[in-house]
Amino acid sequence: MSIDWATLGLQALNVLILVWLLARFFWRPVADMIEQRRAAAQALLADAGAKDEAAKAALAEITQTRAGFAQEREALLVQAQAQAAAARTALLAAAAQEAEALRREARAAMQTEQAAAAQAWRARAGRLAVDIAARLAARLRGEAVQAAFLEFLLHEIQALPPAARQVAALEVASATEISAAAQSDITARISAALGATPRITFIIEPALIAGLELRGPHLRISNSWRADLDRIEQDLTHDG
């Protein structure tokens, strides 16, 4: 077997030319394309990583925001509970104050009513006592009683200042009719006590029960059982 070196050299040359052609026109563009695809893939991966990081950051921000909302919600709930508790305490305090005020008003009203009732009973008791005393005193009318009241009246006249005793006309009231002789005696004694001679008129007032009352334009001496009983009734009422 012989080797045809010329043919072998041509074939080798063809192979080299083919390899050069492939390297020139096929492998390099393919490699460039692959490199471009790889670069594009890297860019896509980098962009995807960036977006993933952005998504993670957004998620973290959302989580933080939600946590902030939760904290704010808790703070608002605590504040609302505190405000509700304060309002409840204020309402209870106001209700207690109002209830205490109502109790005080009720006690004051009750005390006022009790005082008024007691005053009314004291007044009735005083009037009853005075009525009883008046009925008893009415049985004691007589000249001796009249004389005693005349002495009281003269004593009151003598206690007056001199200027008060200078009167022109007077009125003597009695519970019963006085005889003419007794009127003359009373007139003389009153004039002597006054140190003057006024015109004296006698009138009858049964409500006096007993006694003599002297009345003038600027002079009044209440000297009767009626006046004494009225003073006793006032004292009974006011002392109560």
Side-chain angles (χ1 to χ4, degrees), residues 18-235:
L18 179 61
V19 170
W20 180 82
L21 290 172
L22 289 173
R24 177 73 177 175
F25 298 104
F26 180 76
W27 293 113
R28 185 175 293 175
V30 171
D32 291 341
M33 185 182 298
I34 291 172
E35 182 61 26
Q36 291 176 359
R37 295 289 180 90
R38 188 183 66 79
Q42 290 292 335
L44 289 174
L45 289 174
D47 185 53
K51 289 182 178 180
D52 183 60
E53 292 297 327
K56 289 180 180 179
L59 180 60
E61 184 178 0
I62 291 172
T63 303
Q64 185 177 2
T65 303
R66 291 180 62 185
F69 285 161
Q71 292 178 355
E72 186 176 359
R73 175 177 172 273
E74 291 297 328
L76 289 174
L77 286 175
V78 171
Q79 184 179 3
Q81 290 175 354
Q83 291 177 351
R88 178 175 175 273
T89 302
L91 287 175
L92 290 176
Q97 291 178 356
E98 186 176 358
E100 181 61 25
L102 290 175
R103 283 194 293 269
R104 287 197 298 266
E105 291 179 1
R107 285 196 296 267
M110 185 179 298
Q111 291 174 356
T112 301
E113 291 178 359
Q114 290 176 349
Q119 181 70 17
W121 280 107
R122 283 193 295 269
R124 292 180 61 184
R127 286 193 298 270
L128 180 60
V130 169
D131 290 341
I132 294 173
R135 293 181 183 180
L136 293 175
R139 300 181 180 182
L140 300 178
R141 294 173 181 171
E143 294 182 359
V145 174
Q146 190 79 359
F149 275 106
L150 178 59
E151 293 298 329
F152 294 148
L153 180 63
L154 296 175
H155 178 73
E156 292 290 335
I157 293 173
Q158 292 171 355
L160 293 173
R165 284 182 272 174
Q166 301 301 314
V167 292
L170 290 172
E171 187 178 73
V172 176
S174 61
T176 58
E177 186 177 359
I178 301 176
S179 63
Q183 288 183 9
S184 298
D185 179 64
I186 292 172
T187 300
R189 298 187 65 180
I190 289 176
S191 297
L194 289 171
T197 55
R199 184 177 70 259
I200 298 178
T201 304
F202 289 85
I203 62 173
I204 300 173
E205 290 186 6
L208 299 179
I209 303 174
L212 297 171
E213 290 196 355
L214 190 64
R215 303 165 186 170
H218 306 289
L219 175 66
R220 185 183 183 92
I221 299 177
S222 297
N223 181 50
S224 65
W225 274 344
R226 179 74 269 166
D228 293 339
L229 292 174
D230 288 343
R231 282 192 292 270
I232 291 172
E233 182 179 359
Q234 291 180 358
D235 292 339

